[in-house]
């Protein structure tokens, strides 16, 4: 079955960097877009970034644009997010999620159908 | 403050029908499709409804979704104790060029 396992979380000081990984199994990663979504303690879900199946298209939330980089290595069935210049407000559980596949189009603009299967999450704490 | 507005809480008794609303705008719900996610305590979110009203395999038909204009609704009929969870709506926002979530609704089964 489809499984996503995140790793790389931990405690990091403000201004430092961290790279999260998401190991995929049970499906062909190279055929699917992927997402990162985070959840601050006691708060709701916040979309972080999306990467297309081949890595050619990447979208970021304004809150992380210029600091976070999403990437993928389809040969290793792994998704990544490189997080730089970390802030206290980046403290959260980070989830990777597989895209549903397909596209919704309207007015000549298209986007994916969104998050399907989610991993169990990895916790990032930014604190001095 | 979330781009999509959900009531912070909802409740019902076993067997009842409960509806959770999600309000947006013409740049998100009015333009796109809506997904609903269920997050049981201490677990990862699970896809409940996609593309407004479609259920993934394995999701009971007690759960249904609909969209009208710039709002969407998740309905749960025959409420059960295991339905007690947080529920989130999500859609693509064409102005923000990204996915947006509602603030979440905590459902309590009395």
């Amino acid at each position: 079955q489809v499984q996503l396992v995140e790793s790389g979380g931990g405690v990091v000081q403000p201004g430092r960097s961290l790279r999260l990984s998401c190991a995929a199994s049970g499906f062909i990663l190279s055929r699917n877009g992927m997402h990162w979504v985070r959840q601050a303690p006691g708060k709701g879900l916040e979309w972080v970034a999306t990467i297309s199946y081949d890595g050619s298209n990447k979208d970021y939330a304004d809150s992380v644009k210029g600091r976070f980089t999403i990437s993928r290595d389809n040969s290793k069935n792994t998704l990544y997010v490189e997080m730089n210049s970390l802030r206290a407000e980046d403290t959260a559980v980070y989830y990777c999620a597989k895209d549903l596949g397909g596209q919704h189009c309207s007015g000549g603009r298209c986007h994916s159908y969104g998050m399907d299967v989610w991993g169990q999450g990895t916790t990032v704490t930014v604190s001095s | 403050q979330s781009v999509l507005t959900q009531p912070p809480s909802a409740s019902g008794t076993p067997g009842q029908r409960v509806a959770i609303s999600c309000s947006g705008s013409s740049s998100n719900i009015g333009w796109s499709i809506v997904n609903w996610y269920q997050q049981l305590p201490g677990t990862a979110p699970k896809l409940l409804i996609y593309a407004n009203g479609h259920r993934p395999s394995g999701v009971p038909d007690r759960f249904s979704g609909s969209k009208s204009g710039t709002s969407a609704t998740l309905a749960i009929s025959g409420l059960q104790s295991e339905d007690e969870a947080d529920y989130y709506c999500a859609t693509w926002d064409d102005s923000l060029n990204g996915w947006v979530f509602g603030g979440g609704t905590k459902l309590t089964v009395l």
Side-chain angles (χ1 to χ4, degrees):
Chain A
Q1 76 280 19
V2 174
Q3 191 172 13
L4 299 167
V5 179
E6 301 92 338
S7 61
V11 180
V12 60
Q13 293 179 327
R16 304 299 291 266
S17 300
L18 203 60
R19 187 178 81 159
L20 306 183
S21 301
C22 170
S25 60
F27 68 102
I28 301 174
L29 184 66
S30 60
R31 295 182 182 176
N32 289 270
M34 297 291 293
H35 310 268
W36 286 100
V37 178
R38 68 185 180 183
Q39 187 170 33
K43 302 296 184 182
L45 302 172
E46 180 189 16
W47 169 73
V48 172
T50 296
I51 187 169
S52 59
Y53 71 99
D54 61 356
S56 61
N57 288 307
K58 303 174 185 180
D59 292 306
Y60 297 93
D62 287 343
S63 59
V64 307
K65 201 171 293 182
R67 300 188 300 123
F68 288 16
T69 301
I70 188 172
S71 62
R72 61 193 299 155
D73 187 335
N74 288 336
S75 67
K76 294 182 178 179
N77 288 327
T78 304
L79 173 74
Y80 304 99
V81 62
E82 181 78 31
M83 306 185 296
N84 298 320
S85 303
L86 282 164
R87 307 165 180 168
E89 53 265 37
D90 295 319
T91 294
V93 175
Y94 284 74
Y95 298 100
C96 67
K98 169 184 165 292
D99 192 78
L100 268 158
Q103 283 195 319
H104 170 76
C105 297
S106 178
R109 300 185 303 282
C110 302
H111 65 81
S112 77
Y113 275 105
M115 304 88 193
D116 178 9
V117 177
W118 300 55
Q120 87 290 346
T122 187
T123 301
V124 173
T125 303
V126 183
S127 174
S128 54
Chain B
Q1 189 153 345
S2 303
V3 172
L4 305 179
T5 301
Q6 296 181 237
S9 63
S11 63
T13 57
Q16 265 191 332
R17 178 184 183 276
V18 169
I20 297 173
S21 62
C22 175
S23 179
S25 68
S26 58
S27 67
N28 43 65
I29 293 180
W31 180 82
S32 184
I33 51 88
V34 177
N35 297 337
W36 288 92
Y37 298 91
Q38 177 194 57
Q39 187 174 33
L40 297 170
T43 69
K46 169 191 169 185
L47 179 64
L48 208 56
I49 298 288
Y50 69 95
N52 304 330
H54 297 270
R55 279 186 310 276
S57 61
V59 173
D61 59 6
R62 301 187 296 106
F63 295 91
S64 62
S66 62
K67 188 192 98 165
S68 179
T70 59
S71 294
T73 302
L74 171 70
I76 308 172
S77 59
L79 200 60
Q80 300 179 3
S81 58
E82 55 261 40
D83 298 333
E84 195 159 279
D86 293 324
Y87 292 85
Y88 295 90
C89 58
T91 188
W92 178 268
D93 191 295
D94 194 45
S95 296
L96 297 175
N97 203 39
W99 286 93
V100 291
F101 287 89
T105 298
K106 185 175 184 62
L107 176 63
T108 301
V109 181
L110 303 169

